[in-house]
Amino acid sequence: MKKHMKQVMIMGLAGALAVGLVGCGSASSSTTATADSTTNASSKTGKPIEVTFWHGMSGQLGDVLKNMVDEFNKTHPDIHVNAIYQGSYSGKGPLQQKLLAAIASGKVPDIVQLEIHSIPVFAASGALQSLDSYMAQSTDHKKSDFIQGLLKSTSYKGQTYGVPFNRSVPVFYYNDKMFKAAGITEAPKTWDDVAKDAKLLTKKENGKTTVYGFEPVNQWWFFESLVWSGGGQLMNQGLTQATFDTPAAEAGMKAWQQMKKDGVLTVQTGPKDWDQTIADFTHGRAAMYVGSAGDMGQIEQSGMDFKASYVPMVKQYAVPTGGANAAILAKAPEAEKQAAWKFIEWFTAKEQTIHWSQKTGYMPVMKSAVDSQQMKDYFKQKPNHQVPVEELQYAQEAPLSPAYLQVTQYIQDAMDKIMVENANVDATLKDAVKKSNAAISQN
């Protein structure tokens, strides 16, 4: 998960997909493909198979991705991947809006970088190719070869529709120099600890706060962690009702709001709130913040002395997984599907996923990578990078409902009211649950 979480799925996406996919078939009736070799696929024309890959990586992340795609093309003369940046891959971002239009027109890309919470929406409408047959026939990309925590949010109704691509968990970051100066000897384990430490770390000059003790990214991905950490749930087991307004679910949000009232917490607003939060942290305007594992490369570029730790808990450690999966479109031609799978296998293979992780901070997605001596040595050199991998033991799965992205919109609206407008937590979350249940009932 990276930077664009506040832009969530527009209302009615599932309806738009249903209209655009009339005649395409249901998820269960999608064409069953095989992972046959593409070695001879280009021999009919003598030209490499052209694979169109839509992605949402820009800046430093986009540069790393481009270099890796170039390397694939150099080493695979029978396939040429055209990586095209289409804007943010988030639910309300340009990439998914363009994908909706492409699906409606029938002219789809072959691969798309799809935000993990969008998998149920697109899969339920038949837009995505089931990847189970590919995985079953692969020598090193079977389900058992992936880090199991990252397989969460890759499937829908028992079928796999995505391969972990740029995947992350929330991570708690803190300024080590500020901690030492304040006499704090260890990372906070609970939100009560964060509140206590934030008071020691907050600095004021001439009545103005120059350093806030804590500055969270105020986005719904972190709300998931807060709810589970308190022992609450986002939806009921049958996925028919939202349940994030119980006392257990509200506890974390109340802890954040109280810190703001105490003057030790601030939040950024607007479309660049995530970037601004990172900037505040790297420039010493915030001593602690909660962000993504995918922030780590950017923080390291600043040269600051920082440490990473588990996201604090209310009662128990709990984190969502985030980021995006690589998905193949059901309407893509068969040869392009096979070539697309070959690229996905290459990108997520041991050497490439290690390179991707070290350059960006995202997770290495294969067990072989995490267990390799190369990665073990890297973790010893840079222990911050091991934190998100260890944190996967506490990963939970967001509700696998096509309606859930609409629910996150109401959660985000509620968080903005609570943390920006100082609205009452109980009343605001109950109103968000009421709106969510109305949306769920229409799916």
Side-chain angles (χ1 to χ4, degrees):
M1 193 66 61
K2 179 69 173 162
K3 298 216 180 8
H4 308 289
M5 292 297 298
K6 201 165 193 174
Q7 294 180 305
V8 291
M9 183 66 68
I10 58 170
M11 308 306 290
L13 172 59
L17 273 170
V19 172
L21 287 167
V22 171
C24 183
S26 67
S28 60
S29 64
S30 297
T31 302
T32 300
T34 60
D36 295 336
S37 170
T38 61
T39 302
N40 298 320
S42 62
S43 61
K44 295 180 181 179
T45 63
K47 297 180 180 180
I49 296 175
E50 297 286 335
V51 173
T52 302
F53 170 36
W54 284 8
H55 70 89
M57 311 302 284
S58 60
Q60 182 256 351
L61 299 172
D63 291 341
V64 177
L65 178 61
K66 179 183 182 302
N67 290 337
M68 293 181 69
V69 171
D70 289 345
E71 180 65 21
F72 174 85
N73 288 335
K74 289 178 183 178
T75 56
H76 294 76
D78 56 334
I79 303 171
H80 187 272
V81 174
N82 297 305
I84 304 172
Y85 175 68
Q86 297 286 14
S88 167
Y89 62 74
S90 67
K92 199 177 179 182
L95 189 156
Q96 289 201 24
Q97 301 308 304
K98 293 175 183 178
L99 183 60
L100 282 172
I103 291 169
S105 72
K107 296 180 180 180
V108 298
D110 304 305
I111 314 174
V112 64
Q113 183 187 24
L114 198 60
E115 196 274 326
I116 64 168
H117 295 80
S118 303
I119 290 289
V121 180
F122 284 89
S125 300
L128 305 182
Q129 175 66 49
S130 172
L131 301 179
D132 289 305
S133 61
Y134 290 93
M135 287 182 161
Q137 296 180 49
S138 177
T139 57
D140 56 5
H141 277 66
K142 300 183 187 300
K143 286 187 177 182
S144 59
D145 295 322
F146 288 89
I147 298 175
Q148 294 307 294
L150 293 181
L151 287 179
K152 297 180 186 297
S153 302
T154 61
S155 63
Y156 177 67
K157 290 190 174 180
Q159 293 193 57
T160 306
Y161 292 97
V163 171
F165 194 75
N166 61 299
R167 295 296 299 275
S168 59
V169 291
V171 172
F172 190 84
Y173 296 99
Y174 61 96
N175 187 311
D176 195 36
K177 288 184 178 179
M178 289 185 179
F179 265 51
K180 290 176 180 177
I184 304 171
T185 58
E186 61 181 4
K189 292 181 173 62
T190 68
W191 289 113
D192 286 342
D193 292 338
V194 173
K196 179 180 65 176
D197 291 345
K199 291 179 181 179
L200 297 174
L201 294 162
T202 298
K203 304 296 180 185
K204 293 186 177 183
E205 292 182 9
N206 300 322
K208 181 179 179 180
T209 303
T210 56
V211 178
Y212 279 94
F214 180 48
E215 185 173 329
V217 178
N218 188 46
Q219 297 192 8
W220 60 265
W221 190 42
F222 305 104
F223 182 83
E224 292 178 335
S225 179
L226 290 173
V227 168
W228 292 327
S229 174
Q233 294 297 324
L234 296 156
M235 293 179 69
N236 64 3
Q237 190 171 3
L239 304 179
T240 59
Q241 295 284 313
T243 58
F244 54 83
D245 62 341
T246 65
E250 294 172 347
M253 197 80 261
K254 288 182 176 179
W256 278 21
Q257 189 184 62
Q258 186 59 53
M259 280 187 271
K260 185 187 177 188
K261 290 179 178 178
D262 291 340
V264 300
L265 176 154
T266 189
V267 294
Q268 298 296 327
T269 60
K272 294 186 178 182
D273 56 347
W274 202 311
D275 288 318
Q276 186 58 56
T277 302
I278 295 175
D280 285 350
F281 180 66
T282 58
H283 287 85
R285 295 187 291 266
M288 303 179 286
Y289 94 100
V290 61
S292 166
D295 298 347
M296 211 168 297
Q298 186 174 342
I299 300 171
E300 287 176 337
Q301 284 188 332
S302 73
M304 74 171 296
D305 186 11
F306 76 97
K307 286 188 177 179
S309 64
Y310 297 171
V311 174
M313 59 178 161
V314 177
K315 295 180 179 178
Q316 60 193 18
Y317 286 123
V319 291
T321 62
N325 297 316
I328 296 175
L329 275 297
K331 285 188 176 181
E334 188 62 30
E336 279 78 355
K337 288 180 183 178
Q338 294 173 12
W341 175 252
K342 194 168 185 177
F343 169 71
I344 291 171
E345 279 190 306
W346 178 88
F347 190 95
T348 56
K350 175 183 170 182
E351 294 302 321
Q352 282 72 244
T353 196
I354 288 175
H355 175 80
W356 176 249
S357 178
Q358 291 180 355
K359 292 293 184 180
T360 64
Y362 283 117
M363 300 280 202
V365 302
M366 305 298 291
K367 290 180 180 178
S368 59
V370 175
D371 294 338
S372 70
Q373 191 61 48
Q374 181 181 352
M375 208 69 199
K376 290 177 181 177
D377 291 343
Y378 187 76
F379 287 153
K380 288 180 181 178
Q381 178 188 0
K382 295 189 175 183
N384 286 331
H385 284 254
Q386 190 170 7
V387 170
V389 176
E390 293 177 344
E391 206 172 18
L392 276 176
Q393 66 185 300
Y394 303 111
Q396 297 195 34
E397 189 168 51
L400 292 176
S401 165
Y404 183 62
L405 277 178
Q406 296 183 23
V407 172
T408 64
Q409 178 66 70
Y410 293 124
I411 291 174
Q412 185 61 59
D413 291 344
M415 291 183 74
D416 289 341
K417 290 177 182 177
I418 291 167
M419 296 305 298
V420 179
E421 302 174 17
N422 301 315
N424 178 271
V425 173
D426 293 344
T428 303
L429 291 182
K430 289 187 183 305
D431 182 61
V433 163
K434 181 179 179 181
K435 292 176 180 177
S436 296
N437 287 338
I440 293 167
S441 67
Q442 296 175 8
N443 280 269

